[in-house]
């Protein structure tokens, strides 16, 4: 088994005990072994020293016997060895290596010793071979034979005359070593037991903080309570570990609090509108879904309202997005004030709000709520210390009459809201099934509009402008129409707003500019002009900064004199981005074109901004002209606009002139140019060419 895997099965206490015990055991074992080895080395060396001293004495005494070949003297010399218990045998060899004298202790078998194993008539060579084997053994410090052997030369005046071989008894030495080993083992065992007792006490000191740390960690894991802390009881590494653990818990607790705050913030962002604080689309859908399920189970009625602010885009462009955001917040507050706590109000985006009301009794009650909303909008909103009046168009659907799911109810409320806008805005409409068909037609019309320019379905009509003093035609206004393959000739009211929404207004406007300039140049080349040509310019051209390039291109392609091109701009276009718009207007003036304000009086007419713009003319809106002969208020407005034009030294044009009385009043007030059905309705280019080719060249007025 792998040691690491084996150790993993133990607790910290078991691992610590096992490691310490193994370490102590190995240490004691090594120490005991070293001690016994040292003791054995000493005993063996002491024995060898004793044998060498004895051999030296015998060698000195027996050397003369060897010289005189006196074997008896040699035997007598080594005979006293019997008094030494540890000497088992002694052999004296002469110079030729033959046995000269020998001694074997009583009770010892001569055959036990190598030299004693040789027969009596053994040759010198046999003795020499055995002697060489004995010499090889004498270099060893330890000998585990029952006897130790010493081989030493016998010298006389430094001349070798023979060899002495001594065999000593090792058994006594082994008994001494055994006693030493037993004593060492007993001492090691005692030390091991003492270490065990000390370890048992120390484990409590070392392991208790670790066990406390482990218990705390488990508690934190189970309860997810990161405010728990471990008490530090020491200044050692474990104390440092506890401090680090507590610091880690503090960081986790702080991060957990931050995470909870962020989760709450994300929940707020995911379900509430950051500007108004109202529920957003996601939360509204969820609440409406629950309300629908409740209404289905209990057979209740539920009302859904879709609210869109009227002219909010104009106000937003005029005052800026920051003021627009402030206005949306004020609208949200007013709507919240008139609703019950059980009703749900949400902002879906932009200037669109939705409401659903549970358990409503009838349509009449829904109409009552809608009127309360309109009443709440009667008071002005204050933006930049100015009072701004704002209306709203409301579409209303009922569950289960107008739909049984969220998508159908909201879609039908949206359709009803658009019908409220078509009905003049600042009103409300309940959904009717016929509206659905109109909505489908609207979608089909939007799809056809994207292809209309490629298919060549647009055409231009031109309405003459009459100089009221000279009674002569001085120019025309180009008016676009759509020759729809199924619906016939459509006025701009049916498709211009749609083109603004889907982005096709830019290529359509460029086409109108080019066609109108070409037609004006064509009449001039035919000798019927020159005439000014007025073209309405979309606000999208100014937002995307493409108007200057479009006008320059139209003038270059047609060859028309820039002074004959009149661009009609709305007041909202002028106010949507003051500095940027001003820069663009001056670029257009540098081209030499004529600039006019269209539908003057319907927006935020003010000398405070008009004098800053290089405007050449103002066109009075037809809504004031048509009633000026019968309404003193409208007459006063027309009179004020003409006076304003004179003060600004700009030309004043009145559109929608249909009676001689209107024309006379305008002449008396000092108006310069008129256009309307009194002069001529909008005509095709070939009809006007024929009209201009008459001798008078002017329609009868």
């Amino acid at each position: 088994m792998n040691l690491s895997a084996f150790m993993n099965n133990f607790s910290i206490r078991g691992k610590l005990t096992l490691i310490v015990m193994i370490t102590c055991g190995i240490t004691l074992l090594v120490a005991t072994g070293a001690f016994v080895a040292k003791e054995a080395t000493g005993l063996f060396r002491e024995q060898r020293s004793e044998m060498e001293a004895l051999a030296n004495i015998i060698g000195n005494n027996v050397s003369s016997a060897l010289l005189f070949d006196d074997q008896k003297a040699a035997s007598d010399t080594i005979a006293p060895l019997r008094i030494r218990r540890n000497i088992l045998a002694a052999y004296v060899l002469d110079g030729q290596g033959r046995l000269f004298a020998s001694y074997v202790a009583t009770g010892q078998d001569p055959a036990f010793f190598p030299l004693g194993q040789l027969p009596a008539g053994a040759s010198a060579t046999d003795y020499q071979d055995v002697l060489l084997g004995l010499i090889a053994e004498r270099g060893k410090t330890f000998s585990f034979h029952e006897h130790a052997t010493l081989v030493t030369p016998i010298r006389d005046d430094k001349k070798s005359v023979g060899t002495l071989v001594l065999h000593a008894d090792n058994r006594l030495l082994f008994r001494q070593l055994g006693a030493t080993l037993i004593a060492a083992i007993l001492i090691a065992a005692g030390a091991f037991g003492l270490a065990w007792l000390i370890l048992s006490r120390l484990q409590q000191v070392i392991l208790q903080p670790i066990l406390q740390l482990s218990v705390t960690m488990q508690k934190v894991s189970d309860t997810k309570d990161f405010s728990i802390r471990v008490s530090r009881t020491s200044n050692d590494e474990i104390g440092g570990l506890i401090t680090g653990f507590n610091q880690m818990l503090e960081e986790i607790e702080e991060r957990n609090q931050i995470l909870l705050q962020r989760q709450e913030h994300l929940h707020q962002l995911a379900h509430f509108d950051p500007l108004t604080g109202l529920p957003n689309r996601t939360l509204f859908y969820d609440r409406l879904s629950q309300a629908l399920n409740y209404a289905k189970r209990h057979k209740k009625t539920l009302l859904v309202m879709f609210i869109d602010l009227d002219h909010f885009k104009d106000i937003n462009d005029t005052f800026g997005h920051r003021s627009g955001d402030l206005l949306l917040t004020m609208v949200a507050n007013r709507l919240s004030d008139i609703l019950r706590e059980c009703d749900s109000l949400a902002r879906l985006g932009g200037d669109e709000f939705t409401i659903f009301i549970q358990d409503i009794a009838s349509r009449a009650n829904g109409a009552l709520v809608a009127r309360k909303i309109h009443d709440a909008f009667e008071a002005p909103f204050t933006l930049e210390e100015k009072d701004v009046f704002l209306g709203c168009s409301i579409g209303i659907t009922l569950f289960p009459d107008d739909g049984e799911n969220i998508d159908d109810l909201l879609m039908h409320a949206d359709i009803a809201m658009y019908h409220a806008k078509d009905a003049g805005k600042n009103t409300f409409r309940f959904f009717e099934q016929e509206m659905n068909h109109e909505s489908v037609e609207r979608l089909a019309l939007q799809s056809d509009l994207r292809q209309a320019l490629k298919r060549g379905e647009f055409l231009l009509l031109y309405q003459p402008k009459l100089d009221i003093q000279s009674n002569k035609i001085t120019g025309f206004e180009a008016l676009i129409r759509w020759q729809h393959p199924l619906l016939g000739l459509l006025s701009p009211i049916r498709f211009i707003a749609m083109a603004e929404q889907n982005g096709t207004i830019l290529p359509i406007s460029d086409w109108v500019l080019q066609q109108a300039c070409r037609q004006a140049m064509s009449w001039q080349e035919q000798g019927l002009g020159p005439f000014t040509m007025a073209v309405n310019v979309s606000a999208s051209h100014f937002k995307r900064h493409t108007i200057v390039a479009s006008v320059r291109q139209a003038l270059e392609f047609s060859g028309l004199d820039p002074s004959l091109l009149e661009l009609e701009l709305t007041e909202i276009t002028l106010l949507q981005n003051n500095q940027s718009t001003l820069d663009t207007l001056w670029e257009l003036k540098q081209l030499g074109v004529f600039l006019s304000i269209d539908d003057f009086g319907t927006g935020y007419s003010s000398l405070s901004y008009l004098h800053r713009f290089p405007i050449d003319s103002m066109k009075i809106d037809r809504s004031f002209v048509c009633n000026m002969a019968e309404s003193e208020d409208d007459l006063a407005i027309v009179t004020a606009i003409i006076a304003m034009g004179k003060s600004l030294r700009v030309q004043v044009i009145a559109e929608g002139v249909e009676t001689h009385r209107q024309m006379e009043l305008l002449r008396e007030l000092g108006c310069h140019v008129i256009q309307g059905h009194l002069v001529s309705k909008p005509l095709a280019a070939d009809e006007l060419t024929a009209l201009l080719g008459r001798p008078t060249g002017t329609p009868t007025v």
Side-chain angles (χ1 to χ4, degrees):
M1 178 184 291
N2 188 302
L3 179 60
S4 177
F6 175 74
M7 292 289 288
N8 288 336
N9 296 324
F10 287 84
S11 64
I12 293 179
R13 183 189 296 272
K15 290 177 182 176
L16 183 60
T17 301
L18 186 61
I19 291 172
V20 172
M21 291 298 99
I22 290 175
T23 304
C24 288
I26 293 174
T27 303
L28 290 173
L29 184 62
V30 171
T32 300
F35 174 76
V36 173
K38 184 175 183 299
E39 185 70 14
T41 301
L43 290 174
F44 278 112
R45 285 179 178 173
E46 183 180 352
Q47 183 188 57
R48 180 171 290 276
S49 296
E50 183 181 352
M51 291 175 68
E52 287 176 350
L54 183 60
N56 186 45
I57 293 172
I58 294 173
N60 291 332
N61 293 329
V62 82
S63 59
S64 58
L66 287 171
L67 289 174
F68 295 102
D69 194 23
D70 187 354
Q71 291 183 338
K72 182 178 183 303
S75 297
D76 293 338
T77 301
I78 61 177
L81 291 177
R82 63 173 59 91
I83 64 176
R84 293 183 174 271
R85 295 182 182 180
N86 63 323
I87 301 300
L88 300 179
Y91 296 91
V92 178
L93 303 179
D94 61 14
Q96 285 74 35
R98 292 172 300 183
L99 182 64
F100 188 75
S102 64
Y103 162 76
V104 177
T106 304
Q108 295 295 321
D109 184 4
F112 181 73
F113 306 103
L115 291 175
Q117 296 173 4
L118 294 176
S123 66
T125 303
D126 294 333
Y127 280 101
Q128 190 66 31
D129 290 339
V130 174
L131 190 62
L132 290 175
L134 293 175
I135 293 173
E137 286 289 329
R138 71 178 180 177
K140 296 181 179 179
T141 302
F142 299 103
S143 177
F144 293 98
H145 296 294
E146 291 185 2
H147 61 272
T149 301
L150 176 67
V151 179
T152 183
I154 300 172
R155 300 180 183 278
D156 181 62
D157 293 334
K158 299 182 180 180
K159 177 182 177 183
S160 178
V161 295
T163 303
L164 176 63
V165 178
L166 291 178
H167 294 290
D169 190 359
N170 278 340
R171 286 174 294 181
L172 180 59
L173 186 144
F174 288 155
R175 284 194 294 271
Q176 292 177 345
L177 285 179
T180 302
L181 180 60
I182 291 172
I185 291 174
L186 291 175
I187 294 172
F192 193 85
L194 182 61
W196 178 274
L197 292 175
I198 295 173
L199 176 62
S200 299
R201 297 296 182 268
L202 291 178
Q203 277 183 341
Q204 289 297 111
V205 177
I206 297 174
L207 292 180
Q208 187 61 35
I210 298 177
L211 293 175
Q212 183 183 1
L213 184 62
S214 176
V215 171
T216 304
M217 290 175 62
Q218 187 62 45
K219 186 176 180 180
V220 171
S221 177
D222 294 339
T223 63
K224 299 298 186 292
D225 183 4
F226 299 108
S227 63
I228 300 174
R229 298 293 182 268
V230 183
S231 299
R232 177 169 178 170
T233 57
S234 63
N235 295 321
D236 56 8
E237 290 81 356
I238 296 177
L241 178 62
I242 292 175
T243 300
F245 178 73
N246 288 336
Q247 291 175 348
M248 180 183 68
L249 286 179
E250 289 177 4
E251 293 183 7
I252 293 176
E253 185 179 15
E254 292 177 1
R255 294 183 181 182
N256 190 52
Q257 292 176 351
I258 294 173
L259 180 61
L260 291 175
Q261 293 173 355
R262 289 181 178 176
Q263 287 177 341
E264 183 178 351
H265 180 61
L266 289 175
H267 180 271
Q268 184 75 15
L269 292 178
H271 296 89
F272 292 89
D273 174 45
L275 177 62
T276 62
L278 295 176
N280 62 9
R281 185 185 300 271
T282 301
L283 183 56
F284 181 80
Y285 274 40
D286 181 66
R287 290 182 177 178
L288 182 55
S289 176
Q290 297 178 28
L292 281 176
N293 291 334
Y294 177 84
K296 290 176 182 178
R297 289 195 304 268
H298 298 86
K299 308 298 182 183
K300 299 291 185 179
T301 304
L302 186 143
L303 179 141
V304 178
M305 286 186 172
F306 198 101
I307 304 172
D308 188 86
L309 305 182
D310 298 329
H311 303 297
F312 174 77
K313 182 177 180 299
D314 297 339
I315 297 173
N316 199 40
D317 291 341
T318 302
F319 290 94
H321 293 290
R322 185 170 299 178
S323 295
D325 290 344
L326 177 61
L327 180 59
L328 289 173
T329 302
M330 290 188 288
V331 168
N333 292 335
R334 288 196 187 182
L335 291 175
S336 299
D337 290 341
I338 65 174
L339 295 176
R340 303 171 301 177
E341 291 185 2
C342 60
D343 302 330
S344 187
L345 169 66
R347 180 185 176 220
L348 298 189
D351 60 340
E352 298 175 345
F353 296 84
T354 53
I355 298 172
F356 74 78
I357 301 173
Q358 301 183 69
D359 196 17
I360 194 163
S362 63
R363 285 192 171 217
N365 289 347
L368 180 62
V369 175
R371 292 190 186 98
K372 287 176 64 178
I373 293 174
H374 282 134
D375 291 343
F377 280 71
E378 287 295 325
F381 297 88
T382 303
L383 292 178
E384 298 180 5
E385 299 181 354
K386 296 179 182 178
D387 288 341
V388 176
F389 291 89
L390 185 67
C392 64
S393 299
I394 306 174
I396 308 173
T397 55
L398 288 170
F399 168 83
D401 298 342
D402 302 325
E404 295 189 353
N405 57 63
I406 295 176
D407 293 335
D408 287 345
L409 288 172
L410 289 178
M411 180 180 67
H412 292 161
D414 187 45
I415 292 172
M417 183 273 296
Y418 275 107
H419 278 77
K421 284 191 176 293
D422 292 341
K425 300 182 179 180
N426 200 34
T427 185
F428 64 89
R429 287 290 183 271
F430 284 90
F431 174 76
E432 303 292 344
Q433 285 299 329
E434 294 77 9
M435 295 179 181
N436 210 11
H437 301 304
E438 294 178 12
S439 178
V440 173
E441 291 180 1
R442 183 194 297 270
L443 291 175
L445 198 63
Q446 287 181 345
S447 178
D448 293 340
L449 182 60
R450 295 184 180 277
Q451 304 297 324
L453 190 60
K454 295 180 180 179
R455 295 171 180 170
E457 295 173 357
F458 292 117
L459 57 91
L460 290 183
L461 300 182
Y462 303 91
Q463 187 171 35
K465 291 183 176 182
L466 184 73
D467 186 299
I468 201 170
Q469 302 299 329
S470 65
N471 206 37
K472 291 184 178 180
I473 293 176
T474 57
F476 300 89
E477 180 181 1
L479 303 171
I480 189 172
R481 300 291 186 270
W482 181 10
Q483 187 64 53
H484 193 277
L486 298 178
L487 302 178
L489 193 66
L490 303 180
S491 71
I493 297 176
R494 293 287 301 275
F495 62 87
I496 287 298
M498 196 179 297
E500 291 275 5
Q501 294 174 359
N502 63 21
T504 57
I505 190 64
L506 293 181
I508 292 175
S509 297
D510 289 342
W511 179 84
V512 172
L513 266 173
Q514 294 176 10
Q515 292 296 111
C517 290
R518 288 176 183 173
Q519 186 58 56
M521 191 63 192
S522 175
W523 283 330
Q524 186 172 340
E525 290 172 348
Q526 295 176 48
L528 303 177
F531 298 111
T532 61
M533 180 60 71
V535 178
N536 289 284
V537 177
S538 167
S540 298
H541 265 305
F542 279 84
K543 288 182 180 179
R544 303 189 184 184
H545 308 289
T546 58
I547 182 62
V548 176
S550 297
V551 170
R552 183 183 289 112
Q553 187 179 42
L555 292 173
E556 290 176 355
F557 285 173
S558 64
L560 183 67
D561 189 325
S563 63
L564 298 178
L565 177 61
E566 180 179 348
L567 302 179
E568 295 189 357
L569 317 168
T570 63
E571 289 181 82
I572 297 301
T573 300
L574 297 178
L575 289 173
Q576 64 184 359
N577 189 336
N578 286 346
Q579 188 56 48
S580 176
T581 302
L582 182 61
D583 294 341
T584 302
L585 291 176
W586 279 111
E587 287 186 61
L588 292 171
K589 287 301 297 180
Q590 290 176 0
L591 292 179
V593 300
F594 199 80
L595 302 178
S596 175
I597 300 179
D598 193 17
D599 300 333
F600 190 81
T602 60
Y604 301 91
S605 309
S606 173
L607 286 173
S608 64
Y609 79 86
L610 286 178
H611 78 278
R612 298 176 56 224
F613 298 121
I615 302 301
D616 299 301
S617 68
M618 299 188 305
K619 180 181 283 190
I620 305 173
D621 186 68
R622 65 178 66 249
S623 63
F624 303 122
V625 174
C626 66
N627 293 321
M628 62 180 294
E630 293 80 21
S631 171
E632 292 184 0
D633 291 338
D634 287 347
L635 179 60
I637 292 174
V638 172
T639 301
I641 293 174
I642 293 174
M644 185 181 295
K646 289 180 179 179
S647 67
L648 294 172
R649 296 183 180 85
V650 298
Q651 186 184 68
V652 180
I653 305 169
E655 64 177 350
V657 180
E658 298 181 354
T659 67
H660 286 85
R661 176 59 179 161
Q662 294 169 353
M663 183 178 69
E664 291 302 322
L665 286 173
L666 291 168
R667 181 182 284 118
E668 292 174 6
L669 293 173
C671 182
H672 303 106
V673 178
I674 63 171
Q675 73 178 91
H677 283 193
L678 181 64
V679 180
S680 173
K681 65 179 182 179
L683 299 173
D686 54 352
E687 293 178 295
L688 280 174
T689 300
L691 177 64
L692 295 173
R694 295 177 184 174
T696 58
T698 305
T700 301
V701 178

